[in-house]
């Protein structure tokens, strides 16, 4: 995904989270809330950072500007939406093998076609296995990604689609090199400053059902449900404090097991019609969501004596001492959002837009006892907000658009 966004103006990768999944920076705002897949929040649940892959992605959209009037809570600068591949009515079979430097092996398959003679039942399946080492010394990673998709044409105006995803990813947490003086430490870029045998492991599953029905040529209904679960274990021995005189880098050990779940239901009425010479493209929808997480965090904060000499990595000591539990939380979010929008074509080159969304966001947070907090605590809050949007676009000629919102 980072490569697909590389040439989009105002968009950059702000943080790779140790090589897991990148946070996307849009117009100066970094967030994990601005990445979507088929209109649903993707990897957004309380800091879950499951790795992504693009083998089942058909296209990537970047929406610039405040998106909260359609998508609810988000940063004011935009979102990235990934569109997945659709089932196929004509048979298609493809296999690919990528072999590269550092023992990279990545076989993929892409299969699709009809499941019956009338072609009312169709499918698409993308799958991959990836095994790779790295230019970082001792680093190895492994990934499995399976994405079955089925389509059912119930009638000429009604379609049902099921999409599944299973992702397994295992790779070390790589925080890169360290600062030294006024720059980067003068050591080979391939030097891994930690224990590469400790790896973050993620298992993630998603299931999506999408029902669309055309009432007539003007109005269409869409209902979509998405359930996602991610089980992660962050395990690392990583940079903590560097003594520039000796070159000894103190290492901190962290273990962060977590379980993240989300369920979302969207119901929308889409319209395309005209009032006189004025064309309208409308949307009216409601979204219900529930997110739940359970996460614990253990660490030694660099106090167990683990270290590595950045100039002589053979001089190192990795200690498995008892860890301190410094966080143990359970969190539940409930979301209700109602939204509407109308894009009006006054002329072929003059468009205006207005819309809004009203959200109720309810959060329960339980902090369980840990080694610093003997009692724990509970908190609850409910926020309500209306997010309006108004915009205008004028195209004096085809390659140029002047807009304000």
């Amino acid at each position: 995904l980072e490569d697909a966004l590389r040439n989009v103006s105002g968009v950059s990768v702000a943080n790779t989270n140790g090589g897991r999944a990148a946070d996307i920076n849009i117009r100066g705002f970094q967030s994990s809330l601005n990445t979507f897949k088929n209109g649903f929040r993707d990897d957004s649940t309380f800091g879950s950072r499951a790795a992504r892959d693009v083998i089942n992605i058909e296209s990537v959209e970047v929406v610039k500007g405040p998106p909260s009037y359609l998508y609810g809570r988000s940063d004011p600068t935009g979102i990235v939406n990934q569109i997945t591949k659709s089932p196929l009515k004509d048979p298609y079979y493809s296999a690919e093998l990528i072999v590269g430097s550092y023992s990279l092996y990545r076989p993929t398959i892409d299969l699709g076609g009809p499941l019956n003679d009338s072609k009312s039942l169709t499918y698409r399946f993308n799958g991959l296995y990836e095994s790779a080492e790295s230019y970082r010394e001792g680093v190895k990673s492994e990934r499995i990604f399976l994405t079955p998709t089925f389509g059912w044409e119930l009638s000429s105006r009604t379609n049902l689609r099921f999409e599944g995803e299973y992702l397994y990813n295992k790779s070390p947490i790589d925080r890169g090199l360290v600062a030294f003086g006024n720059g980067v430490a003068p050591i080979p870029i391939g030097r891994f400053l930690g224990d590469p045998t400790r790896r973050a492991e993620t298992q993630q599953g998603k299931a999506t059902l999408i029902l669309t029905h055309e009432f007539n040529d003007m109005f269409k209904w869409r209902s979509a449900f998405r359930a996602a679960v991610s089980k992660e274990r962050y395990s690392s021995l990583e940079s903590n404090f560097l003594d520039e005189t000796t070159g000894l880098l103190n290492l901190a050990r962290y273990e962060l097991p977590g379980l993240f779940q989300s369920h979302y239901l969207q119901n929308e009425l889409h319209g395309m019609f005209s009032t006189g010479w004025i064309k309208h493209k409308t949307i009216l929808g409601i979204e219900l969501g529930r997110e739940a997480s359970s996460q614990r965090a253990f660490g030694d904060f660099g106090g167990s004596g683990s270290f590595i000499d950045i100039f002589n990595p053979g001089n190192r000591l990795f200690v498995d001492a008892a860890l301190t539990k410094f966080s143990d939380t359970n969190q539940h979010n409930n979301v209700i959002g109602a939204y509407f929008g109308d894009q009006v074509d006054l002329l072929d080159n003059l468009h205006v837009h207005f819309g809004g969304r009203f959200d109720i966001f309810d959060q329960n947070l339980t902090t369980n006892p840990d080694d610093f907090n003997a009692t724990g605590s509970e908190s609850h809050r409910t926020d309500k907000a209306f997010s309006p949007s108004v915009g205008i676009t004028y195209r004096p000629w085809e390659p140029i658009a002047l807009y304000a919102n």
Side-chain angles (χ1 to χ4, degrees), residues 172-232:
I173 299 298
D174 186 359
R175 298 293 182 183
L177 303 184
V178 292
F180 191 94
N182 294 323
V184 180
I187 58 178
I189 194 174
R191 188 155 297 168
F192 188 81
L193 302 178
D195 182 0
T197 65
R198 302 177 193 270
R199 296 188 281 180
E201 187 173 9
T202 299
Q203 294 190 71
Q204 179 178 281
K206 294 179 182 177
T208 307
L209 277 173
I210 303 174
L211 174 69
T212 58
H213 175 70
E214 297 178 357
F215 295 105
N216 48 45
D217 293 338
M218 292 189 296
F219 293 101
K220 180 177 74 173
W221 181 263
R222 173 184 177 272
S223 289
F225 174 77
R226 204 281 308 273
V229 59
S230 179
K231 183 179 181 180
E232 302 179 21

Side-chain angles (χ1 to χ4, degrees), residues 95-113:
E96 182 180 86
L97 172 63
I98 296 177
V99 179
S101 303
Y102 310 109
S103 301
L104 168 65
Y105 300 96
R106 181 182 164 97
T108 63
I109 58 173
D110 185 355
L111 313 175

Side-chain angles (χ1 to χ4, degrees), residues 147-192:
T147 65
T149 302
F150 299 94
W152 185 11
E153 193 175 276
L154 298 169
S155 70
S156 60
R157 290 185 177 270
T158 307
N159 290 277
L160 179 66
R161 181 192 293 189
F162 168 82
E163 296 187 1
E165 289 188 7
Y166 171 76
L167 172 69
Y168 173 81
N169 193 81
K170 190 173 184 180
S171 60
I173 299 298
D174 186 359
R175 298 293 182 183
L177 303 184
V178 292
F180 191 94
N182 294 323
V184 180
I187 58 178
I189 194 174
R191 188 155 297 168
F192 188 81

Side-chain angles (χ1 to χ4, degrees), residues 31-36 41 43-44 73-75 78-79:
S31 175
S32 61
L33 293 176
N34 57 16
T35 307
F36 286 69
R41 297 182 182 278
D43 304 340
S44 68
R73 70 190 194 278
S74 58
D75 287 310
I79 66 166

